[in-house]
């Protein structure tokens, strides 16, 4: 059993002192009943809500990282290269949700919550994974059409739900293409471009569903808010 204000603070939404104020203001419910006194203790079985938003269980943590180039998306690496987990300061054993290649940068989520990870990754929830790819060559309209129509790569159907040509530069012979997909197969974006005849020179994931890296510098990360976690969980019930 732990004090209510500690449980709220541990969920990452606020400090312990501010949690006490929230309790006194009547913004906190335990198992559906408003609690205004300090000193109440709860267990992990109790349902704690702040402003009617369920706060994550104490033992679940969620991070959004802007992955730099040259970092591997796994928990450990047998070649002892730096991993995305090494970049996050936490006592909890977390793992990345899906993968970005060693040379790919951008948004990656890390957690120890398997249900959350599954919602993010499973194509049935149609969560956008938006990539910016710099490719060699000036991409043609029929290639863009093929990316949208879909293709079979290594026995799997791969399809972009959206493709936007951002820039075509004849002097450098490169194009910048924004591609949205819902699956997350290994090397999917590079394989899709290869299937239509283009090499990816640079790849960045700029968004996963509601999570963008707009306010995070390379290598920076932040915790998700309980509201953000709740939004992802609300998709599960569809
Ligand atoms: N597709 C790729 O090819 N590489 C990534 O890192 C992510 C998606």
């Amino acid at each position: 059993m732990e004090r209510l204000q500690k449980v709220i603070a541990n969920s990452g939404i606020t400090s312990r002192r501010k949690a006490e104020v929230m309790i006194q203001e009547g913004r906190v419910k335990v198992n559906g009943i408003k609690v205004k006194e300090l000193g109440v203790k709860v267990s992990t079985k109790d349902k704690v809500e702040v402003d009617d938003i369920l706060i994550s269980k104490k033992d679940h943590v969620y991070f959004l990282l802007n992955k730099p180039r040259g970092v591997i998306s796994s928990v450990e690496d047998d070649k002892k290269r730096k991993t995305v987990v090494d970049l996050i300061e936490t006592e909890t054993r977390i793992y990345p949700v899906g993968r970005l290649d060693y040379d790919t940068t951008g948004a990656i989520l890390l957690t120890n919550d398997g249900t959350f990870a599954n919602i993010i990754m499973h194509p049935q929830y149609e969560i956008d994974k938006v990539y910016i790819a710099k490719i060699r060559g000036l991409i043609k309209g029929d290639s863009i059409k093929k990316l949208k129509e879909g293709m079979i790569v290594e026995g799997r159907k791969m399809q972009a739900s959206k493709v936007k040509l951002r820039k075509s530069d004849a002097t450098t012979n490169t194009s910048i293409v924004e591609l949205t997909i819902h699956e997350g197969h290994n090397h999917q974006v590079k394989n899709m471009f290869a299937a239509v005849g283009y090499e990816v020179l640079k790849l960045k994931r700029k968004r996963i569903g509601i999570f963008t890296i707009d306010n995070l510098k390379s290598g920076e990360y932040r915790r998700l808010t309980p509201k953000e976690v709740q939004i992802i969980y609300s998709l599960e019930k569809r």
Side-chain angles (χ1 to χ4, degrees):
M1 299 285 274
E2 259 180 321
R3 279 177 187 271
L4 186 54
Q5 56 267 40
K6 187 171 175 204
V7 172
I8 296 168
N10 282 350
S11 78
I13 54 167
T14 189
S15 66
R16 204 176 297 185
R17 213 191 58 74
K18 287 198 182 133
E20 289 176 358
V21 176
M22 286 174 160
I23 294 168
Q24 288 166 327
E25 286 173 347
R27 294 166 61 188
V28 179
K29 285 185 194 158
V30 177
N31 302 324
I33 296 162
K34 198 180 280 178
V35 170
K36 288 181 88 169
E37 318 74 56
L38 299 177
V40 170
K41 288 191 171 178
V42 290
S43 80
T44 50
K45 290 202 190 88
D46 291 310
K47 188 176 145 203
V48 179
E49 289 166 284
V50 175
D51 297 334
D52 293 321
I53 293 168
L54 189 64
I55 63 162
S56 55
K57 285 209 197 92
K58 183 182 143 280
D59 51 353
H60 279 158
V61 293
Y62 309 87
F63 298 94
L64 171 66
L65 168 72
N66 182 358
K67 177 192 170 298
R69 200 179 310 272
V71 176
I72 191 147
S73 298
S74 59
V75 178
E76 267 174 0
D77 181 41
D78 41 13
K79 292 186 205 145
K80 298 274 177 257
R81 289 174 295 185
K82 194 176 253 190
T83 74
V84 284
V85 173
D86 294 335
L87 297 179
I88 304 221
E89 256 179 72
T90 175
E91 298 289 305
T92 312
R93 287 171 68 90
I94 51 170
Y95 52 85
V97 179
R99 275 167 182 271
L100 288 180
D101 294 334
Y102 190 65
D103 60 351
T104 302
T105 61
I108 189 159
L109 293 161
L110 297 103
T111 185
N112 57 348
D113 179 352
T115 308
F116 176 89
N118 186 55
I119 300 170
I120 296 289
M121 289 206 290
H122 200 294
Q124 96 179 87
Y125 299 112
E126 297 189 349
I127 293 184
D128 288 345
K129 283 89 187 182
V130 184
Y131 292 88
I132 305 286
K134 181 178 185 181
I135 59 169
R136 193 187 306 285
L138 305 177
I139 193 165
K140 297 199 193 78
D142 64 333
S143 302
I144 291 181
K145 204 164 146 231
K146 269 192 217 148
L147 291 167
K148 282 192 203 155
E149 282 169 359
M151 58 195 70
I152 308 286
V153 180
E154 290 165 2
R156 294 173 199 268
K157 175 97 197 266
M158 296 187 181
Q159 187 172 15
S161 67
K162 274 188 215 144
V163 184
K164 288 185 201 156
L165 176 59
R166 288 278 176 223
K167 199 171 153 193
S168 236
D169 187 343
T171 51
T172 57
N173 189 35
T174 57
S175 310
I176 307 281
V177 184
E178 185 178 310
L179 193 91
T180 304
I181 57 176
H182 295 147
E183 311 90 9
H185 302 305
N186 274 349
H187 316 304
Q188 178 164 347
V189 174
K190 290 175 188 169
N191 286 343
M192 287 176 74
F193 277 106
V196 292
Y198 298 94
E199 183 194 353
V200 173
L201 302 173
K202 248 185 177 181
L203 188 61
K204 173 168 95 179
R205 181 156 66 190
K206 71 167 203 176
R207 180 165 71 80
I208 305 167
I210 56 172
F211 306 110
T212 71
I213 45 153
D214 293 347
N215 296 317
L216 294 173
K217 296 197 188 90
S218 175
E220 277 185 354
Y221 64 88
R222 67 168 177 89
R223 279 179 187 263
L224 303 191
T225 66
K227 174 95 199 179
E228 288 171 328
V229 176
Q230 193 200 32
I231 290 170
I232 298 305
Y233 264 94
S234 70
L235 302 172
E236 199 191 13
K237 298 186 201 103
R238 278 199 306 199

